[in-house]
Amino acid sequence: MLTIIVAVLVNLFIETSVSFTVVVPHDQSVAHVGSIVILPCWISPPENAEALEIRWYRHDQFSSPVLFYQHGKIQDVQEESYRDRSSLTRWSDKSGGLKDGDVSLRLEKLRIQDAGSFHCYVSGESEYDSGEVFLKVTALGSAPVLFPQPLDDGRMNITCKSSGWYPEPDVTWMSDERTVLRPGGVSRSRGADEMFSVHSWTAVSHLDAHLVSCSMSLKTGEFRESRIDIQAVIPSDPSDPWKALFFTLLICALLGLTGLILYKYRHKLTGKKTGKEVCEVRPKKKRTKEVVGDTIIEDLRKHAVQITIDCEHLHPDLKVSKDGKTVRYAPEYKPTGEKFQYELCAFGAQRFTSGRHYWEVDLARENNPPKNYWLIGVVKHGNFSAKDKSALTPSKGYWFLCSDGPNGIYINSDPPVTLSLTPRPEQLGVLLDYDRGQLSFYNVKERKHLLTMSSRFTGSVAPLFNPGVEDLSPLVILDCPEPVESSEPLLSNSSEA
Ligand SMILES: *[C@@H]1O[C@H](CO)[C@@H](O)[C@H](O)[C@H]1NC(C)=O
């Protein structure tokens, strides 16, 4: 009898003492030099972590941690290089923070040296647990600069230079976007800042090539590319200006003719459907690891709506295709400064005051480099002029995800949060749940839920698009067929992820 009571008591004791495990993601986080990254870590089951000890440290540097939290506050024992750069943060908008066991680390002003593993170590009165988070740091270099030099044999020696890369980028030369050219030579050097500079050259004949492009790319898929029209830099032969003129005119005429024929032919072939894009999951190209998330895109598409651009409130420097589905900036547009051009906004002609609505945007068109600059979300109807980033907050009626090239992808929560989304979404799904006050983003190809913003919508809201200016690739709204019957129950796993 006594033994039974003792056993019960022991059992009770074990069950009431705190028992948790530390949970970290399997995927490594990827972020750019200079940016902000959040390394996720939380305890499970969720419980208030304010009374616990939280230690983030690297390698075997247990006693000089990146961050140390104890007795309810961050202790001043950080390793020198992490001072003023590290803090505890919430992994997502939905997390309750420390109170809910979220002990994620925020690191600012990332440096190359930050790459590698971080230990997240949490200890309570009677036990502890830890997990390891991996961080990969990359740097997207400058746009390559191309420099042509005529060679004695009549060919052109084109040099391509770019700097500020990490790790070393791959160099690809192409002519007329079809043929890969062999580089004559590639040399790489490493600066004091650990970044790589790359110098490559290739010799081409203007008889074989027209547009020559040099592209430098990272394994993450991010790249920088420049092109040169070598026909435009052929040194004219002073002995025979008429011949040169004749050939130039001939080439122009031929090009014009082919263009016209192609245009007519295409029109005839496809009739009215020219350029119409149907939303379907295209097979992925060139990806070795097949990552398949668990979001059922077909369920999202039950809420599909046809979105077209509202031409009335369009920024004057944007160009929209006839069918209102494709938007890009006009070549005449002169960006002000180097920052993301927030003013280049296009709005959906459709407005919503209730219900669920879903649409998809293509960010990696075939035959175009993938887009690195875009802004996609919703906006309170009537907010037609956007200029300053600081004014584009949820409380002012803007909700969006923005990809700002090397500065990363961020959501405009207040304050904005940079995300490490790898791979970058090539086809982005947007689900507006007006009644629940949620805006969710999905990576359609990977079938993954990316994030959900929670807010309260008032009045009518419209889709918001901005194609950016640093890449010429267009932003294309896909045609998702509208369902015959809607009001199906929404998938439950998506917004809770
Ligand atoms: C082309 O120019 C590069 C310098 O950018 C030089 O190193 C290389 O030797 C040149 N190639 C030829 C064939 O002259």
Side-chain angles (χ1 to χ4, degrees):
M1 184 63 180
L2 195 67
T3 37
I4 292 175
I5 291 174
V6 169
V8 168
L9 276 178
V10 166
N11 235 329
L12 265 179
F13 179 71
I14 290 175
E15 279 181 2
T16 47
S17 77
V18 252
S19 164
F20 60 79
T21 45
V22 164
V23 183
V24 292
H26 293 296
D27 298 349
Q28 64 177 356
S29 299
V30 184
H32 284 137
V33 167
S35 72
I36 297 170
V37 73
I38 294 172
L39 300 180
C41 180
W42 57 90
I43 55 176
S44 170
E47 64 162 289
N48 193 332
E50 281 171 327
L52 303 177
E53 210 178 279
I54 302 156
R55 187 187 293 262
W56 278 92
Y57 67 97
R58 308 212 56 191
H59 316 299
D60 49 1
Q61 310 276 301
F62 189 81
S63 47
S64 46
V66 171
L67 182 138
F68 183 49
Y69 175 97
Q70 195 189 30
H71 308 313
K73 62 175 198 246
I74 292 174
Q75 304 294 317
D76 194 16
V77 291
Q78 282 153 305
E79 214 248 291
E80 189 56 43
S81 62
Y82 289 102
R83 193 151 288 164
D84 302 329
R85 292 206 293 138
S86 58
S87 53
L88 288 176
T89 192
R90 295 186 305 159
W91 161 232
S92 79
D93 256 14
K94 298 190 105 187
S95 147
L98 270 185
K99 283 200 170 66
D100 273 346
D102 182 350
V103 299
S104 300
L105 176 75
R106 174 186 157 108
L107 266 188
E108 295 172 26
K109 300 180 198 125
L110 274 192
R111 305 167 316 158
I112 285 169
Q113 293 82 354
D114 294 332
S117 80
F118 287 76
H119 297 272
C120 172
Y121 174 98
V122 183
S123 92
E125 243 161 52
S126 55
E127 64 178 318
Y128 67 88
D129 193 19
S130 71
E132 202 174 3
V133 187
F134 291 90
L135 172 65
K136 184 173 172 181
V137 180
T138 62
L140 193 60
S142 57
V145 174
L146 292 172
F147 180 67
Q149 262 178 313
L151 294 170
D152 291 342
D153 59 7
R155 291 183 306 163
M156 196 67 79
N157 181 5
I158 303 172
T159 303
C160 175
K161 280 185 185 176
S162 172
S163 56
W165 290 90
Y166 193 85
E168 275 182 66
D170 291 324
V171 184
T172 315
W173 286 95
M174 296 263 277
S175 82
D176 301 325
E177 291 176 20
R178 284 192 310 263
T179 327
V180 175
L181 298 172
R182 268 209 0 219
V186 182
S187 64
R188 297 178 169 88
S189 57
R190 202 159 182 189
D193 57 358
E194 309 265 303
M195 307 271 207
F196 289 96
S197 295
V198 184
H199 174 166
S200 177
W201 65 269
T202 191
V204 286
S205 155
H206 68 264
L207 297 174
D208 302 337
H210 193 77
L211 266 187
V212 173
S213 68
C214 168
S215 131
M216 307 220 176
S217 56
L218 293 174
K219 299 273 181 293
T220 55
E222 295 166 295
F223 69 98
R224 289 265 197 183
E225 185 185 72
S226 293
R227 295 173 195 187
I228 190 167
D229 180 352
I230 66 162
Q231 303 288 335
V233 294
I234 308 168
S236 52
D237 185 352
S239 65
D240 197 349
W242 293 111
K243 194 166 148 194
L245 186 63
F246 174 76
F247 271 111
T248 314
L249 285 177
L250 184 69
I251 286 168
C252 287
L254 276 176
L255 279 177
L257 197 64
T258 341
L260 199 68
I261 291 171
L262 278 178
Y263 180 77
K264 283 251 153 133
Y265 186 61
R266 185 186 156 133
H267 235 69
K268 212 172 205 163
L269 260 188
T270 52
K272 265 204 169 141
K273 285 206 192 89
T274 309
K276 185 149 175 168
E277 298 298 336
V278 177
C279 79
E280 53 184 8
V281 180
R282 284 197 302 262
K284 285 184 288 186
K285 287 186 295 185
K286 282 195 278 186
R287 188 155 293 137
T288 43
K289 203 173 117 210
E290 191 83 358
V291 195
V292 179
D294 48 9
T295 296
I296 304 162
I297 300 293
E298 288 67 30
D299 280 352
L300 293 171
R301 289 190 177 147
K302 291 186 182 141
H303 303 278
V305 275
Q306 291 288 341
I307 303 292
T308 47
I309 300 289
D310 172 2
C311 289
E312 210 176 307
H313 297 109
L314 187 68
H315 190 279
D317 289 308
L318 287 176
K319 295 239 177 301
V320 172
S321 62
K322 272 219 181 77
D323 61 359
K325 293 281 187 185
T326 303
V327 58
R328 67 172 91 218
Y329 74 92
E332 307 84 62
Y333 178 70
K334 291 279 169 296
T336 47
E338 291 229 312
K339 55 181 176 34
F340 191 89
Q341 303 293 312
Y342 290 95
E343 55 176 306
L344 288 182
C345 281
F347 308 93
Q350 293 70 21
R351 288 173 217 155
F352 308 111
T353 51
S354 67
R356 298 187 184 114
H357 311 279
Y358 176 77
W359 58 97
E360 281 180 19
V361 185
D362 197 355
L363 298 167
R365 310 277 304 147
E366 243 161 2
N367 307 324
N368 275 296
K371 282 191 79 57
N372 274 319
Y373 295 83
W374 46 260
L375 184 158
I376 291 166
V378 297
V379 60
K380 188 167 176 184
H381 180 68
N383 282 354
F384 293 128
S385 61
K387 271 234 150 68
D388 191 19
K389 177 176 175 182
S390 62
L392 306 181
T393 59
S395 58
K396 300 224 167 81
Y398 292 88
W399 299 266
F400 58 77
L401 192 62
C402 176
S403 170
D404 187 8
N407 300 321
I409 298 183
Y410 73 89
I411 48 168
N412 78 321
S413 47
D414 200 0
V417 173
T418 306
L419 311 159
S420 27
L421 298 186
T422 39
R424 294 173 78 91
E426 297 185 354
Q427 198 171 329
L428 190 75
V430 183
L431 179 74
L432 168 70
D433 187 336
Y434 189 101
D435 304 326
R436 285 169 75 181
Q438 293 182 337
L439 182 68
S440 306
F441 295 94
Y442 299 86
N443 182 330
V444 176
K445 287 197 177 172
E446 307 281 328
R447 297 182 173 276
K448 258 195 198 162
H449 169 248
L450 298 176
L451 72 135
T452 295
M453 294 177 82
S454 299
S455 196
R456 251 195 65 214
F457 303 117
T458 52
S460 61
V461 300
L464 171 69
F465 309 94
N466 180 326
V469 293
E470 291 274 340
D471 56 29
L472 286 161
S473 305
L475 188 153
V476 181
I477 307 167
L478 295 170
D479 253 332
C480 291
E482 281 189 28
V484 192
E485 244 177 277
S486 83
S487 73
E488 292 259 340
L490 187 69
L491 65 170
S492 50
N493 70 333
S494 64
S495 44
E496 264 72 45

